[in-house]
Amino acid sequence: MGKQATEMLKGVLEGIVLAVLAQRAAYGYEITSWLRDEGFADIAEGTVYALLVRIEQRGLVDVEKVPSEKGPPRKVYSLNEQGCEYLNEFWRTWSFLSERLEQLREGKN
Amino acid sequence: MAPKWIEVLTGSLEQKKQWRAYKARVAGFPSPYRESVDAIERYLLYAGGSDTESMMTMLDDLADLFERAAADGTPVHDIVGDDAVEFVETFKSNYGIGAWIAKEQNRLRDAIGQAEKEQS
């Protein structure tokens, strides 16, 4: 992934993570692995963790501690009602941006 | 280590206990996770800008991240990415800021607000 892609991704990573969590509850490592599998290879686990910390503080997710075979309990995140509303807003913003950019590319503005 | 910040801690026994518990916990991490946490902790303490409570929450969360990574065997590079400073700055931005920097930010907003008013 190039530098430009990494920079652009930063702005939408929050929306991506919320969209992943809208499908099913997950812990940090699972989310990072999923992103890697989807081709977002440069995303550091710490970056996703920092994001999870933030959306937890803002009350967009519910957190459950689940015991794991080794190491400390895992924090499993699931999207709550407030998070769903925020995700809807993200998709609206995304549609607005992508439509405008597409118009710009086609020279129709 | 971090004498200035430690001075702020004196007076709050609870935070001192929390600090000691955090240090003891990190001391038990295997290499190179322990060294990585120590390096990030050093940066956070010297970079400052946080109040004591936020700093302690931040360090505990940081320890959670590395404890989990150590258990999973996640390479340090996969956690911090290509630039450790960028990771720490992103991480840090989620937590509260110190009273002094908040005061300066308000002062800047007021000054610019005043300048804008004079122009209108």
Side-chain angles (χ1 to χ4, degrees), chain A residues 3 19 26 28 46 52-53 58 64 71 76 82 86 100 104:
Chain A
K3 181 89 185 139
L52 289 169
V53 162
R58 282 163 54 197
E64 194 190 348
V76 175
Q82 215 181 326
Y86 190 85
R100 294 305 176 280
L104 199 58

Side-chain angles (χ1 to χ4, degrees), chain A residues 10 45-46 49-50 57 70 72, chain B residues 61 68 71 78-79 86 94:
Chain A
K10 266 187 217 161
E45 195 171 331
Y49 180 75
Q57 284 171 355
K70 50 175 184 159
Chain B
D61 285 350
R68 189 64 256 168
D78 287 1
I79 307 164
E86 198 182 306
N94 297 322

Side-chain angles (χ1 to χ4, degrees), chain B residues 16-98:
Chain B
K16 253 194 255 183
K17 267 194 226 160
Q18 217 181 338
W19 169 254
R20 284 203 200 104
Y22 155 80
K23 288 302 274 183
R25 185 180 165 204
V26 173
F29 288 5
S31 284
Y33 301 96
R34 186 180 60 243
E35 289 83 351
S36 303
V37 175
D38 284 346
I40 295 170
E41 173 202 303
R42 183 193 154 90
Y43 178 85
L44 288 172
L45 298 186
Y46 277 83
S50 291
D51 54 71
T52 315
E53 202 186 323
S54 303
M55 181 64 83
M56 217 48 253
T57 310
M58 194 166 15
L59 291 173
D60 279 336
D61 285 350
L62 184 74
D64 282 349
L65 172 66
F66 278 85
E67 189 176 25
R68 189 64 256 168
D72 291 333
T74 310
V76 169
H77 182 268
D78 287 1
I79 307 164
V80 301
D82 291 333
D83 185 2
V85 173
E86 198 182 306
F87 156 65
V88 178
E89 287 296 331
T90 309
F91 175 70
K92 196 180 151 197
S93 67
N94 297 322
Y95 297 85
I97 55 166

Side-chain angles (χ1 to χ4, degrees), chain A residues 66-83:
Chain A
V66 178
S68 72
E69 278 176 30
K70 50 175 184 159
R74 290 184 192 279
K75 282 170 108 178
V76 175
Y77 298 84
S78 56
L79 205 63
N80 60 26
E81 204 179 320
Q82 215 181 326

